[in-house]
Amino acid sequence: MIKGVILMNDKGKPRLVKFYDYHPAEKQQELIRRLYGVLSSRAEDVSNFVKVDSLFGPDTRLVYKTYATLHILFIFDSSENELAMLDLMQVFVEAMDKCFSNVRELDIVFNFNKVHAILDEIILGGQVLETSSSEVVKAVEEISKYSPNPLCFFSLLFFTHQVSQDAISYFLFRMERAANSLMAVPSITGWQGR
Amino acid sequence: MSGPTLLDSLFQRSLEDLIKGLRLYVGDESTFISKSLDEIRREIKSTDPQTKSIALQKLTYLHSIHGVDMSWASFHAIELSSSHSLNFKRVAYLAASLSFDPSTTDVILLLTNQLRKDLQSPNSHEVSLALNALYFIATPDLARDLTPEVFILLNSNKGSTRKKAIALILRLFELYPDAVRVCFKRLVENLENSDPGIVSAVVGVFCELARNEAKSYLPLAPEFYKILVESRNNWLLIKVLKIFLELAPLEPRLGKRLVEPICDHLKRTGAKSLAFECVRTIVTSFSEYEFAVRLAVEKIKEFLNDDDPNLKYLGLQALTIVAPKHLWAVMENKDFVIRSLSDADANIKLEALQLVLAMVSEDNVMDICKVLINYALKSDPEFCNEILGCILLACSRNVYEIIVDFDWYVSLLGEMTRIPHCQKGEEIENQLVDIGMRVKDARPQLVRVGRDLLIDPALFGNPFVHRILSAAAWVSGEYVRFSKNPSELVEALLQPRTSLLPSSIKAVYIQSAFKVLTFYVHHYISTKGVISSASQGVEDLMHGRVQENPQFVRTGPVADSDTDDGGLNPMMLHRPVRDVSVESFEDMSVAHEWIYAFHVLLCFFSLPREWRLLLLKLAFSSSESHYKTPGPT
C-alpha cells in the first residue's frame, strides 16, 4: 500500500501532507523534516528511490521527483511496484496540471482543498483508484461544478489572469470600504505588492 | 472569551487571507499562528455554517502544514459534517480525516449516524466523501456498524464508488474480521467485472491480503490465472504477479502452469514496470526453472546497460535476489558490478557492494578484500564504513568460514584500523580478541599486528579506533610469549600518550603491562636456572639494584615523594630475552605458581602510587572482566 504522499518545496516547507497511517501532528512534522534531510543529501541525476526503513518500518521505500521548486514524494511498501509508483506520480502531476492549467507551486499553496480532492480521486486508503489523469480531472471538475463556492470561484480568477485580478481586487476593495472601514481586515490590494 | 459577533462573521479572514498573511509575515511565524488560532477559536463556535466552515478550513490548514494541534475542534468538525451543503461536508470530512486519531478521539462514535446517512445518499459525491473519511477515522466499532452499508456499495452502479468501496473494504477487514464473512463473496464476484479499474482494485486488495496469509487465497488462483493470461492492463498484471509471488511457493503445480505466461509477458511487454515485475517474480519464486531465470537475467542485463539510473538500480536489486541460487548470473555481470562501486548514486553503490560480497568465496576472498579496501580509501566516510562493515560481516560469517589464511586476515584487520575514516572499532576489537582465543596458529601474527598498532602514534587521534588499541593491548599482554621484543611492547603500553585514552582502555593497558612484566620476571628467574635460586633472585631485586626508573615517574601525575619505592631495574628489561616456548610455561608446577604470584605482587608494589590505587579500584569495584577469560590454552 501507499503509506504517504508529500509535496514539499526545495527549502523543506510542506505544501501537501497526506499519511495513510495515523501519526500525531508533531510526528508528521518530524517525519517531513527527516525526509527533507534524506532528499537534500541526494545528488542530481541519480535514481529516484530511497529506502526509508528507519522512518516508516521494514521494507518501505520512497520515490521522489523534483519539478522546478517542488519535490513530490510517494512512500510505499513492497506491495507496490517502484516504476508503477513513478507512473502514478506522473498521473498526479498531470491531473494537477490540467486542473490548474500549468500548475506552479503557488497554485498548490493556495488551493489546499482542491489538491486534496484531486489526490483523493487517485488514492484511497493507500490503494490506487485511478491511473488515468483525464478521468481524475473529469471527476474533480464534476465536484467543482456541483456546488460552486464563491470563494473557490474568486480564487480561481485570482490566480489565472493578472487583469481580472486587478479588477476583482479593486471591486472588493470598494466593497470593503463601503462596509465598515473601522475593522482591521487586511486589504487585498496590499497583496499586489508581493 | 466573547462569542462570535456579527462583525466577526462579516469580516472573517478566509483561508486565502490566512495563507497570504503567513507568507507576508516578517518575523516568527508562531506569533502570527497563535493570533490566528485565537480568531479561529472564536469563529468556530459560530452557529453560522459558513463562518464555521471557514474557521475549520483555516484550522485544518494550520494543522496539516504547520503541525498545530486541533484535537480540541473535533466536535465542531462533526457538527459541520451534518450540513446539507456538499462544500461544508467536504471541509468537515477533510478536517476529520486529517486530524482524528482513531485510538483516542472519543467523539468519532458520534459520526456513525452521519456516515451511515452519507453512505446511503443518492449523491455519489457524498458517498465518496464518507468512504474516504471512513478510512482515516475507522475504529472497530465504526467498522462493525458500517460494514452493511459498505457491503451494499460493493455493487454500486457507479464505477468510481465501487472502486472506493473496494479500497475501503481492506481497512474494514483489518478492524472487524467478521466483515470478511459478509463481504468476501461480493468481492470475488467483482473479479469478473468488465471494467479493468474495478478488477484492479479487487486484485489490489487481494494482493495486500495475500501478503499476510497467502494460503487462504490459494483457491482463488484459477481466477487470477485467467486475469494473468487474458488481461492487457499493466497495473492489473503487476498486482496479479505480486499475488503469484506469494502463492507459487505454496503449490508446485501452480508454478508449472504459471511460468509460460509470465515468460510470454516478459518477452512481449514494452512497459518497463511490468518487465521488472516479471523479472522479480521469476527470480524470487520461480528460480528452479532454468529457462525462465535465463530470460530474466537477459532482461536484467538490459536494465543494467540502460542509461537511466533507476533501471540500473532496479537491475542490481534483481541481481541481488538472484545471487544466492544462481551465482553465475552475478559473475556474468561482474565487471558492471565492480564499476558500480564508484557510481555517483549511493543506492547503486550499496547494491553493488552487497553483490560483490555475495560473490565472495574461499578462493577469491583475498582479491576481493583488496579491491574493496582500495575503494574504501577513495570513498567518503559513510560508504567507507559500509564497505568495512560488509567485509567484517562476510568474513566473520559462520565463525570465519571462508578464511583460510588467518595471518593474512589479521593483518587485514590491522590495515583496516589504519584507514582514516574507520569507525568500526567495536567489531574489529571483537574479532581480534575472538581470533586470538580461537586460532592458536594466528597468535604470533596477532601479536605482531598488535605491536604495530600500539606503536603507531597516529591512532590516538581517531576516537573510534581506541577500542582496537585496547584489543591490541590485551592481545600483546596475553600472548606476549610470541613476541620478538617484549620490551618494545612495555614501552608502547606505558608511553605518556596513553593518558589520552579513556580509563577502561587504560585499565587494559595496565593489565597487559603487568602481564608482560610478570612474563619478564618469570623468564629472568627461569633463565637463572633453578627454582631454589628464585628466592635469591627476589632478594636481589628487593635489596640490590633497585633504581628509580624515570619512565615510571613521567607516566602519571605522581607526587615525587613516592620515588623512594623505586621502580623496576630498567637494565633488566633490556636483557636479551630467549623466546620462551609455550611448553615451559605449561610445565609450571605448584611451587612455580607461588613464585609467579610473588613476582606479581612485587611488580605491583614497584609501581607508582596512582597506578596502584587504580588497580585496586578496578579489582574491587566491578566483577565483570574486560574480556572473557580464555579457557586453558
Side-chain angles (χ1 to χ4, degrees):
Chain A
M1 69 178 259
I2 299 171
K3 300 224 167 184
V5 174
I6 300 179
L7 270 69
M8 66 166 86
N9 77 354
D10 51 4
K11 304 271 188 318
K13 287 190 103 164
R15 297 301 187 200
L16 173 78
V17 178
K18 196 120 184 175
F19 286 108
Y20 293 98
D21 287 320
Y22 177 76
H23 297 288
E26 282 157 18
K27 182 93 202 290
Q28 290 190 6
Q29 295 295 317
E30 196 208 305
L31 284 169
I32 294 170
R33 274 194 295 272
R34 289 175 73 176
L35 286 170
Y36 179 61
V38 167
L39 282 191
S40 351
S41 59
R42 302 284 293 168
E44 307 260 316
D45 296 333
V46 294
S47 61
N48 300 110
F49 305 108
V50 182
K51 291 207 171 109
V52 284
D53 294 33
S54 50
L55 295 176
F56 290 98
D59 242 0
T60 330
R61 61 202 78 181
L62 80 84
V63 60
Y64 71 97
K65 255 199 137 172
T66 313
Y67 295 86
T69 57
L70 208 60
H71 295 301
I72 305 191
L73 291 83
F74 274 41
I75 301 149
F76 56 96
D77 62 16
S78 54
S79 70
E80 304 289 341
N81 176 299
E82 291 85 343
L83 294 171
M85 284 291 104
L86 267 175
D87 289 339
L88 193 67
M89 218 186 263
Q90 187 63 21
V91 169
F92 183 38
V93 172
E94 268 173 26
M96 283 198 292
D97 218 22
K98 289 183 194 156
C99 282
F100 295 113
S101 25
N102 293 322
V103 65
R104 298 160 317 183
E105 190 187 331
L106 228 45
D107 296 319
I108 300 176
V109 173
F110 282 98
N111 290 286
F112 181 73
N113 291 314
K114 193 157 186 189
V115 180
H116 270 277
I118 297 175
L119 186 57
D120 289 341
E121 289 298 318
I122 302 179
I123 304 173
L124 188 145
Q127 302 298 311
V128 176
L129 294 173
E130 185 56 68
T131 53
S132 150
S133 57
S134 34
E135 293 294 319
V136 174
V137 175
K138 246 198 285 179
V140 174
E141 273 170 9
E142 239 186 77
I143 296 174
S144 329
K145 256 190 286 177
Y146 187 88
S147 33
N149 184 354
L151 284 171
C152 224
F153 176 64
F154 278 132
S155 47
L156 276 171
L157 280 178
F158 275 133
F159 300 108
T160 45
H161 260 297
Q162 198 62 30
V163 176
S164 41
Q165 270 168 353
D166 290 336
I168 299 294
S169 57
Y170 178 66
F171 177 63
L172 282 173
F173 177 59
R174 289 283 299 270
M175 255 176 64
E176 257 182 70
R177 273 280 201 84
N180 189 336
S181 52
L182 284 175
M183 293 308 290
V185 176
S187 122
I188 296 175
T189 46
W191 165 81
Q192 282 182 317
R194 183 164 53 82
Chain B
M1 241 190 267
S2 58
T5 64
L6 177 63
L7 285 171
D8 276 335
S9 323
L10 214 50
F11 295 101
Q12 184 185 32
R13 286 202 252 196
S14 68
L15 178 58
E16 283 87 63
D17 294 327
L18 175 70
I19 301 176
K20 267 184 268 166
L22 266 172
R23 288 170 65 86
L24 292 172
Y25 192 74
V26 175
D28 190 11
E29 257 181 7
S30 46
T31 20
F32 187 87
I33 291 179
S34 38
K35 209 169 57 132
S36 312
L37 263 179
D38 290 333
E39 275 177 25
I40 293 171
R41 273 182 209 267
R42 278 201 323 266
E43 294 163 2
I44 208 166
K45 293 194 206 131
S46 158
T47 46
D48 169 35
Q50 171 83 342
T51 319
K52 216 190 196 40
S53 151
I54 295 180
L56 197 57
Q57 280 185 55
K58 290 194 281 188
L59 191 54
T60 310
Y61 178 84
L62 287 177
H63 168 90
S64 178
I65 306 289
H66 294 276
V68 171
D69 172 49
M70 67 179 272
S71 47
W72 53 270
S74 342
F75 186 70
H76 296 291
I78 296 181
E79 251 192 278
L80 193 64
S81 67
S82 55
S83 153
H84 290 296
S85 151
L86 187 65
N87 265 346
F88 297 153
K89 232 192 248 288
R90 180 176 297 280
V91 168
Y93 277 137
L94 185 63
S97 60
L98 290 178
S99 68
F100 283 14
D101 177 2
S103 48
T104 59
T105 312
D106 315 318
V107 294
I108 286 183
L109 282 176
L110 297 174
L111 256 184
T112 319
N113 270 329
Q114 185 56 46
L115 279 168
R116 189 174 287 128
K117 269 185 19 212
D118 287 326
L119 285 172
Q120 293 167 337
S121 158
N123 180 344
S124 65
H125 296 296
E126 284 182 3
V127 178
S128 300
L129 284 178
L131 284 170
N132 201 318
L134 188 51
Y135 171 80
F136 289 99
I137 67 177
T139 62
D141 291 325
L142 219 57
R144 186 195 57 223
D145 294 334
L146 294 172
T147 298
E149 279 71 29
V150 182
F151 171 71
I152 296 174
L153 290 170
L154 283 175
N155 261 0
S156 155
N157 292 328
K158 205 157 192 270
S160 61
T161 312
R162 229 193 249 213
K163 275 191 277 188
K164 291 178 185 169
I166 293 171
L168 180 62
I169 212 82
L170 187 61
R171 185 100 179 107
L172 296 183
F173 282 2
E174 234 180 278
L175 291 169
Y176 178 57
D178 275 347
V180 182
R181 242 185 335 110
V182 176
C183 304
F184 200 76
K185 195 153 162 287
R186 253 199 203 169
L187 200 58
V188 176
E189 277 165 13
N190 273 312
L191 272 176
E192 321 267 316
N193 198 297
S194 49
D195 178 355
I198 294 182
V199 183
S200 291
V202 181
V203 173
V205 169
F206 279 122
C207 182
E208 297 282 340
L209 291 170
R211 286 173 76 220
N212 295 331
E213 216 193 297
K215 235 168 26 140
S216 339
Y217 304 97
L218 209 46
L220 288 170
E223 269 86 19
F224 297 137
Y225 180 76
K226 210 162 68 140
I227 299 174
L228 179 67
V229 172
E230 291 174 355
S231 169
R232 292 284 167 267
N233 181 314
N234 290 338
W235 282 90
L236 188 46
L237 286 170
I238 290 175
K239 287 281 171 176
V240 168
L241 282 171
K242 285 205 183 271
I243 297 182
F244 279 132
L245 191 125
E246 301 289 333
L247 292 182
L250 300 172
E251 178 60 68
R253 286 175 298 171
L254 201 56
K256 268 197 285 247
R257 295 207 66 190
L258 289 172
V259 178
E260 289 286 344
I262 297 182
C263 290
D264 281 337
H265 278 299
L266 184 53
K267 280 186 262 197
R268 259 199 312 225
T269 186
K272 295 273 188 321
S273 50
L274 184 57
F276 178 65
E277 200 57 49
C278 290
V279 166
R280 189 173 20 206
T281 315
I282 293 176
V283 301
T284 315
S285 300
F286 295 89
S287 48
E288 57 272 19
Y289 297 93
E290 279 295 327
F291 70 95
V293 176
R294 226 164 264 284
L295 196 59
V297 174
E298 281 287 323
K299 202 71 188 186
I300 293 178
K301 213 182 279 210
E302 259 178 64
F303 273 32
L304 291 178
N305 289 329
D306 199 298
D307 288 325
D308 184 354
N310 286 329
L311 294 179
K312 283 205 249 242
Y313 173 60
L314 291 174
L316 284 172
Q317 265 202 321
L319 215 51
T320 316
I321 305 178
V322 174
K325 296 204 193 120
H326 297 270
L327 206 55
W328 56 266
V330 185
M331 292 308 209
E332 264 181 32
N333 295 298
K334 194 166 65 154
D335 295 323
F336 179 84
V337 172
I338 299 205
R339 256 184 301 143
S340 304
L341 279 174
S342 49
D343 198 290
D345 185 349
N347 285 345
I348 291 184
K349 278 201 283 201
L350 282 171
E351 291 293 324
L353 184 59
Q354 299 297 330
L355 279 170
V356 167
L357 285 160
M359 287 195 278
V360 90
S361 72
E362 266 182 28
D363 316 315
N364 57 20
V365 63
M366 292 205 252
D367 299 319
I368 289 191
C369 286
K370 198 161 83 170
V371 170
L372 285 177
I373 297 279
N374 279 337
Y375 272 103
L377 288 166
K378 287 188 272 185
S379 321
D380 54 289
E382 208 185 304
F383 191 53
C384 172
N385 281 297
E386 281 287 339
I387 293 182
L388 293 180
C390 283
I391 297 179
L392 289 167
L393 193 63
C395 291
S396 63
R397 200 173 295 158
N398 279 336
V399 201
Y400 311 102
E401 194 179 36
I402 55 171
I403 311 263
V404 174
D405 184 359
F406 276 93
D407 287 345
W408 161 83
Y409 185 58
V410 166
S411 25
L412 183 74
L413 288 174
E415 216 184 298
M416 279 202 258
T417 314
R418 288 214 174 69
I419 294 178
H421 301 302
C422 174
Q423 290 175 8
K424 297 285 168 188
E426 200 176 323
E427 185 55 32
I428 299 182
E429 176 199 14
N430 289 339
Q431 290 200 8
L432 281 172
V433 175
D434 204 31
I435 293 179
M437 289 199 283
R438 288 181 199 272
V439 186
K440 277 198 218 174
D441 301 330
R443 287 175 190 162
Q445 180 67 5
L446 205 53
V447 173
R448 237 168 281 150
V449 168
R451 166 225 172 243
D452 290 336
L453 289 176
L454 287 173
I455 291 181
D456 189 346
L459 293 179
F460 286 96
N462 181 353
F464 296 103
V465 152
H466 288 170
R467 305 198 62 157
I468 306 178
L469 289 177
S470 124
W474 184 85
V475 150
S476 312
E478 192 63 25
Y479 306 117
V480 62
R481 55 186 171 274
F482 296 110
S483 154
K484 290 212 184 70
N485 193 351
S487 58
E488 220 180 17
L489 278 176
V490 175
E491 281 184 26
L493 286 168
L494 300 175
Q495 61 180 305
R497 236 186 261 247
T498 56
S499 56
L500 292 169
L501 298 170
S503 335
S504 55
I505 300 182
K506 271 197 280 209
V508 180
Y509 267 58
I510 295 171
Q511 288 170 7
S512 299
F514 231 2
K515 290 181 195 169
V516 178
L517 286 169
T518 54
F519 165 76
Y520 254 125
V521 172
H522 185 273
H523 177 68
Y524 174 72
I525 302 301
S526 55
T527 48
K528 280 274 184 182
V530 187
I531 301 171
S532 52
S533 71
S535 47
Q536 181 61 37
V538 164
E539 263 187 313
D540 273 346
L541 270 173
M542 287 182 66
H543 303 298
R545 301 153 289 155
V546 176
Q547 289 172 24
E548 228 178 78
N549 181 356
Q551 196 178 36
F552 277 95
V553 176
R554 262 207 311 274
T555 321
V558 164
D560 278 329
S561 57
D562 274 340
T563 51
D564 55 356
D565 277 323
L568 217 49
N569 186 345
M571 281 183 58
M572 228 184 74
L573 295 175
H574 294 293
R575 187 181 290 259
V577 176
R578 182 169 47 102
D579 249 0
V580 183
S581 67
V582 181
E583 282 72 36
S584 59
F585 265 97
E586 285 170 345
D587 294 345
M588 257 201 270
S589 65
V590 176
H592 264 215
E593 281 177 22
W594 277 105
I595 307 286
Y596 188 78
F598 184 69
H599 294 159
V600 169
L601 222 58
L602 199 64
C603 296
F604 180 75
F605 281 107
S606 60
L607 289 173
R609 189 167 83 166
E610 197 217 32
W611 286 44
R612 288 205 300 267
L613 290 173
L614 189 58
L615 277 168
L616 283 171
K617 239 193 298 186
L618 285 168
F620 290 121
S621 59
S622 64
S623 51
E624 64 170 67
S625 58
H626 197 91
Y627 296 114
K628 286 200 276 278
T629 48
T633 45

